[in-house]
Amino acid sequence: MFLTRFDPLRDLKEIERRFLAPFGEAEGGAKSNLRGFAPVVNTREEEKGYFIEVDLPGVQKEDIHIDVKENTLSITGERKLKEEVKEENYYKVESFFGKFQRSFTLPENVDSDAITAQSKDGVLEIFIPKTTPKDAKRIAIS
């Protein structure tokens, strides 16, 4: 007697597998370059300002652009990475690449002219200094 385990999602899994196959996501979980590249971002606030850390492995600092327009900070760039393995009877090349863009709305209490950035070991760190709070004024009612 032949038994088949009941799987209510079997048809759904088959549809997903067929849909993802052209994009390189078929069996084995291989990743595709069609998705592009979306870097991981961490943000934090401290007393002196705001920090944005962007993980950009394999991206040269010449390929990163940071722009501030109105109250929006935009980080754009492109990653070009080629992985090559050569062995006696085996040769494999994988290229991972893609353009990326991340944008952040800046709060009102920042000095956008004093923003600094540095790239080290595949991590871009941007410092956005806070402005000093203006003294409160009391308005007389006449």
Side-chain angles (χ1 to χ4, degrees):
M1 178 176 192
F2 183 79
L3 290 176
T4 303
R5 183 178 211 147
F6 176 69
D7 183 1
L9 301 177
R10 179 179 48 113
D11 291 335
L12 191 59
K13 289 177 186 175
E14 179 63 19
I15 291 169
E16 179 184 31
R17 187 190 67 75
R18 286 183 183 187
F19 177 76
L20 294 176
F23 299 105
E25 289 264 345
E27 302 176 47
K31 299 292 179 199
S32 168
N33 291 336
L34 296 176
R35 286 186 171 190
F37 170 59
V40 176
V41 175
N42 297 314
T43 60
R44 70 179 191 275
E45 178 181 3
E46 292 184 2
E47 188 176 322
K48 294 181 181 181
Y50 302 92
F51 288 88
I52 299 174
E53 293 176 350
V54 186
D55 290 339
L56 297 170
V59 179
Q60 303 298 318
K61 67 180 179 179
E62 296 82 22
D63 295 329
I64 304 168
H65 305 285
I66 303 169
D67 299 305
V68 177
K69 187 174 183 179
E70 296 171 7
N71 67 335
T72 302
L73 180 130
S74 297
I75 305 166
T76 57
E78 186 172 3
R79 178 172 77 167
K80 304 168 194 167
L81 181 64
K82 185 174 184 179
E83 181 181 315
E84 190 171 355
V85 178
K86 290 183 183 181
E87 294 184 13
E88 187 175 321
N89 295 324
Y90 180 71
Y91 180 72
K92 177 181 97 166
V93 177
E94 289 189 14
S95 298
F96 303 98
F97 61 90
K99 293 183 179 185
F100 62 89
Q101 178 176 357
R102 297 294 302 261
S103 296
F104 303 89
T105 302
L106 298 175
E108 293 179 13
N109 66 335
V110 298
D111 183 1
S112 60
D113 294 329
I115 295 174
T116 59
Q118 66 177 9
S119 180
K120 183 178 179 186
D121 298 329
V123 177
L124 172 68
E125 185 172 288
I126 301 170
F127 174 66
I128 306 164
K130 291 181 180 179
T131 57
T132 55
K134 296 180 181 176
D135 294 333
K137 296 180 183 179
R138 184 160 294 217
I139 300 174
I141 302 172
S142 53

